[in-house]
Amino acid sequence: MSDYIKKCPDCGSIKLISKKERGEIICRDCGLVIEDKMIDFGQEWREFDSDQAGKRRRTGAPMTVTKFDRGLSTSVGTDSDIYRLGGKSKDKYKRLQKWQQRISTAIERNLKLALAELKRVSSYLKLPASVVEDSSEIYRNAVQRGLVRGRSMESVVAGTLYAACRRHEVPRTLDELATASGIDKKEIGRTYRFITRELGIRILPSNPVDYLPRFSSALKLSAKTQSKAVEILEKAQEEELTSGRGPTGIAAAALYVAALINTEKRTQREVADVAGVTEVTIRNRYKELLKELKLEEELKPTVVVKTEETTETEE
DNA sequence: AAGACGAAAGTGGTTGA
DNA sequence: TCAACAACTTTCGTCTT
């Protein structure tokens, strides 16, 4: 009966934080991401007898903005139905069908296509439903404001998804969006900026910490290393090392250092690849982190000894 | 041979006149 | 609208393990 209570496989703690808006369950004690693709199948009401069941159960799909008509439209039969009708009924049917077609305007047709594309891309990226819904809403607004004209539908979809991810603090890199949607990275960036500006969507600069769980699990690093990286990032933010820098680069460097400290070394190339930055960037951030946060002592003692020896040989 | 390191030149975006 | 600028990338050579 306690299906809902899970133990953290790493430290055994049962103090888990469920982050629904991110679709993640996180252990409060060690920071391990236990499940990152959760779906809530439960019903939010209770029923005690058939009378209550009749009142409280609802049928039909939930209303959602991911359907182009919010799941509410009616369609007037299909053409195969017409052969079961005769005479007057047939005329009436035809008339109704015509009206229905007039109601679906160009906007709705566009939305229908766009939302299909949006679903395709988001399922490829395994994005939580809340992000998809938000993205649909943004796209709907964009279409109604006529912002899609002159741009490809796909690029606008990618742009709105990028914006929605940022808003929900589950950032994906532009590169990831680019490979998922097949749209050029620059193009996505352009439409993203255009759409958010025109619609007045305020988006905070993304926090490097938000990237850590994904990068860390892609590199198969321990939860310990991941929380170490969080710690490093927090210190780095206090020292103002993060402003103006690409958040992915900082996240990658923090993870790299944390891995070194915990003797789970990953090469700069490995880290760079999952973070979508170059080794050079990691090196630069990494140097800054070591200098400003005095992390040298935490690295292997052999390194420290060596630098002491080499000081004698300097000129 | 692979990884780490750093210099130099190039790219795309932002800012301020 | 243009030039200066910062961050990041690409490329390449050198050093270390």
Side-chain angles (χ1 to χ4, degrees), chain A residues 45-111:
Chain A
W45 71 92
R46 301 177 71 192
E47 56 198 41
F48 299 96
D49 52 40
S50 60
D51 188 39
Q52 287 186 358
K55 280 183 191 161
R56 295 186 189 178
R57 278 187 197 164
R58 304 177 297 274
T59 50
M63 184 169 133
T64 170
V65 291
T66 62
K67 291 270 174 60
F68 76 97
D69 51 11
R70 303 189 190 225
L72 290 179
S73 80
T74 308
S75 64
V76 184
T78 57
D79 277 337
S80 61
D81 292 339
I82 204 167
Y83 300 110
R84 284 193 235 113
L85 305 167
K88 275 191 173 178
S89 308
K90 199 167 174 178
D91 290 345
K92 190 175 177 185
Y93 173 88
K94 278 284 180 195
R95 237 175 18 250
L96 285 172
Q97 199 177 42
K98 203 167 205 170
W99 270 105
Q100 184 64 30
Q101 276 167 2
R102 279 188 199 154
I103 291 166
S104 0
T105 59
I107 286 181
E108 287 189 344
R109 255 178 277 127
N110 183 327
L111 268 175

Side-chain angles (χ1 to χ4, degrees), chain A residues 230-246:
Chain A
V230 173
E231 198 183 302
I232 292 170
L233 277 182
E234 279 166 2
K235 270 197 262 174
Q237 274 168 351
E238 283 168 27
E239 300 287 331
E240 315 235 316
L241 284 178
T242 55
S243 72
R245 270 75 199 273

Side-chain angles (χ1 to χ4, degrees), chain A residues 116-171:
Chain A
E117 167 72 4
L118 198 150
K119 280 200 171 157
R120 190 187 67 75
V121 177
S122 57
S123 80
Y124 183 89
L125 289 172
K126 300 188 176 56
L127 294 172
S130 58
V131 171
V132 182
E133 296 243 336
D134 198 26
S135 175
S136 317
E137 195 66 58
I138 298 172
Y139 188 90
R140 177 186 304 278
N141 289 336
V143 173
Q144 283 164 357
R145 292 272 302 272
L147 302 178
V148 187
R149 279 179 90 89
R151 258 163 277 268
S152 78
M153 186 204 79
E154 289 88 347
S155 73
V156 178
V157 166
T160 59
L161 264 177
Y162 182 67
C165 286
R166 294 275 297 269
R167 277 226 288 214
H168 287 252
E169 297 181 332
V170 280

Side-chain angles (χ1 to χ4, degrees), chain A residues 272-291:
Chain A
D273 280 343
V274 305
V277 295
T278 60
E279 299 157 84
V280 183
T281 305
I282 295 202
R283 279 202 288 277
N284 292 336
R285 296 293 90 78
Y286 161 71
K287 271 191 297 179
E288 292 167 2
L289 287 176
L290 286 191
K291 196 164 78 180

